[in-house]
Amino acid sequence: QVQLVESGGGLVQAGGSLRLSCAASGDIFSINVMGWYRQTPGKQRELVATITDGDRTVYADFAKGRFTISRDNAKNTVYLQMNSLKPEDTGVYQCNVRGILAARRTDFTSWAQGTQVTVSS
């Protein structure tokens, strides 16, 4: 019903930058919250950042000052600009979108498959 397409992961040296994108499409009436989560080796999935339709943002402590989340409502797309990357940022980054379906006007939550981010030292 709702499809998410991620892009932008890859391999980068420590100190470098990457920009992740996640575009939502399908049976969407509205999107309330868009966010990024990650799973790093040996850890459970954790919040990176979220952004509401009113542009309120929440960041994990490790992301503050280095990562910036933004969204383009016209494109149903959320971005994560990651700067000053560290080897411990290595992991799978997943986009999450929550909103309301168009046909049934019910809530939905969708997860993207995830994109690998590898930061070499």
Side-chain angles (χ1 to χ4, degrees):
Q1 292 169 323
V2 176
Q3 296 79 41
L4 302 181
V5 178
E6 293 178 331
S7 62
L11 173 65
V12 65
Q13 287 189 329
S17 299
L18 282 175
R19 189 191 194 210
L20 306 182
S21 300
C22 176
S25 63
D27 182 35
I28 299 170
F29 175 72
S30 65
I31 295 177
N32 301 326
V33 183
M34 307 183 86
W36 292 94
Y37 293 73
R38 74 180 189 183
Q39 187 162 17
T40 55
K43 293 187 177 181
Q44 292 186 332
R45 184 167 61 191
E46 60 184 346
L47 169 74
V48 178
T50 60
I51 184 168
T52 69
D53 52 0
D55 285 336
R56 284 190 302 155
T57 57
V58 173
Y59 291 93
D61 286 343
F62 65 79
K64 292 177 182 176
R66 298 190 300 131
F67 296 179
T68 302
I69 190 169
S70 61
R71 64 189 280 174
D72 183 334
N73 292 326
K75 296 180 180 179
N76 286 341
T77 299
V78 62
Y79 306 95
L80 184 68
Q81 177 68 43
M82 303 187 291
N83 299 328
S84 303
L85 283 162
K86 305 174 182 179
E88 52 263 43
D89 293 317
T90 295
V92 176
Y93 285 68
Q94 270 185 299
C95 168
N96 171 262
V97 173
R98 287 176 272 164
I100 299 174
L101 296 174
R104 297 187 177 187
R105 301 298 169 95
T106 55
D107 296 343
F108 75 88
T109 298
S110 288
W111 289 92
Q113 280 199 319
T115 186
Q116 177 70 40
V117 170
T118 303
V119 184
S120 63
S121 56

